[in-house]
Amino acid sequence: MLHLRLITPAEQTDEVVRLIEDTVGTTHLAVIPGAAREPAGDLVMCDVAREAGDMLIAGLRRLGLDDAGSIAVENIDLSLSRRADKAEEDAPGEGADAVLWEGLTEATHEESTLSVTYVAFITLATMIAACGVVLDNAILIVGAMAVGPEFGPLAGICTAMVRRRPRLALRSLTALLVGFAAAMAVTVGFSLFMDAVGLFHRSALEGKRPNTAFVYAPDAFSFIVALLAGVAGTLSLTSAKSGALVGVAISVTTVPAAANAAVALAYGDMSQTLGSTDQLLLNLLGIILAGTLTLLTQQFLWNRRQQRP
């Protein structure tokens, strides 16, 4: 279930209440006249089944409530109510399959914003991965994958393509490209520093690396894994039951490939630099392709389910 807390101008309250009452899957409607001060208006609260939430939120936005008032949405972890159970039974579809498009757009908007924190995380992840490739340490590689925040902009691009939001696409692409460029540039400097103090050695990079050689040797499995990870990551963002995003993060070699390219570039090893860059681009392409197709499939299936009597 979702809990909606709305601030409505007094002249719109009746219209908002009618919309809520006409939406299948809503319950626990409460109206407190004149309770809101900023912006001034009435406070309207209700609970709605997750599978009916996107339709109700879209209707509220059509009324202009996001401009004239406020729409706040919260997940309800526990609701002990027969009316809530009845609302979920009446709403079409299953809550776990429902996609809250407005929520997804907002979440990916925040996750794909180029910020100091985002750049710091992706830079730190790339530097950790640089240590991993030089030491041929798979644990450091996995740790770097988990730290990397790059799935946010990738999900933003997928969402923007499906929802036709060019500004979100530009924001996400900017965060992705600038983030990786900054991370790789800092990692080149970091590698040179570590070499100067005797902690990195070119021989370690160019020697046998059975645990990390895959980051600069892309093959068919690289693209297949990226496709599968793109599907899993998208489902983890849209589903109410999945918490698999960390697992997705450690299944693709975006950050380690960028790190290996940076270290190889610092040593002038263009073969590994190009191989790692190919690995990076292959993974990014696979995730974006799979994520977009997953969202399109979810949209198609949900629309068909909504049209059934």
Side-chain angles (χ1 to χ4, degrees):
M1 295 289 289
L2 302 174
H3 177 70
L4 270 64
R5 187 179 69 252
L6 314 173
I7 295 178
T8 69
E11 64 274 11
Q12 281 191 286
T13 300
D14 290 342
E15 191 175 15
V16 169
V17 169
R18 280 196 301 271
L19 174 63
I20 294 173
E21 291 176 337
D22 292 341
T23 301
V24 177
T26 60
T27 187
H28 302 155
L29 175 62
V31 180
I32 307 177
R37 293 292 182 267
E38 178 57 39
D42 302 333
L43 180 63
V44 179
M45 296 177 288
C46 72
D47 294 341
V48 59
R50 179 182 172 87
E51 51 269 42
D54 194 64
M55 180 173 60
L56 177 57
I57 294 171
L60 293 171
R61 295 199 66 178
R62 283 195 296 271
L63 294 177
L65 197 59
D66 51 330
D67 291 325
S70 170
I71 304 173
V73 184
E74 300 173 342
N75 283 303
I76 299 177
D77 295 326
L78 177 64
S79 179
L80 303 178
S81 166
R82 290 184 179 178
R83 290 182 178 273
D85 295 340
K86 181 66 164 55
E88 290 186 319
E89 291 175 3
D90 293 342
E94 294 293 331
D97 297 332
V99 179
L100 295 175
W101 291 105
E102 296 295 339
L104 178 62
T105 302
E106 183 64 25
T108 51
H109 180 279
E110 294 179 1
E111 293 294 327
S112 61
T113 300
L114 183 63
S115 63
V116 174
T117 302
Y118 170 81
V119 174
F121 268 116
I122 197 168
T123 300
L124 290 170
T126 307
M127 293 167 69
I128 293 171
C131 296
V133 297
V134 172
L135 298 175
D136 194 33
N137 189 315
I139 296 177
L140 291 177
I141 294 294
V142 171
M145 291 176 175
V147 173
E150 73 279 5
F151 195 84
L154 291 170
I157 293 173
C158 298
T159 304
M161 293 176 67
V162 174
R163 302 294 288 170
R164 299 178 183 178
R165 302 286 179 88
R167 294 182 64 180
L168 176 59
L170 180 60
R171 177 188 293 268
S172 303
L173 186 61
T174 300
L176 192 67
L177 296 180
V178 174
F180 270 116
M184 292 173 71
V186 172
T187 303
V188 169
F190 173 72
S191 302
L192 294 173
F193 170 77
M194 295 291 280
D195 181 77
V197 298
L199 295 176
F200 278 12
H201 302 281
R202 181 168 187 159
S203 58
L205 181 73
E206 297 181 346
K208 291 184 178 180
R209 291 158 49 197
N211 294 319
T212 59
F214 65 92
V215 301
Y216 62 88
D219 54 21
F221 280 105
S222 300
F223 190 66
I224 291 172
V225 170
L227 289 174
L228 297 176
V231 174
T234 303
L235 290 176
S236 74
L237 290 177
T238 59
S239 173
K241 292 187 176 181
S242 178
L245 193 55
V246 173
V248 171
I250 62 175
S251 64
V252 289
T253 55
T254 48
V255 166
N260 197 86
V263 176
L265 184 62
Y267 284 120
D269 187 337
M270 297 310 298
S271 175
Q272 284 200 39
T273 299
L274 294 176
S276 300
T277 302
D278 288 344
Q279 177 78 280
L280 174 62
L281 295 177
L282 199 63
N283 277 272
L284 296 178
L285 176 62
I287 293 173
I288 292 173
L289 177 62
T292 302
L293 292 176
T294 300
L295 288 177
L296 287 172
T297 302
Q298 287 181 291
Q299 186 180 56
F300 173 75
L301 293 176
W302 186 252
N303 287 341
R304 287 193 60 184
R305 180 63 185 84
Q306 294 289 91
Q307 292 170 1
R308 295 177 186 175

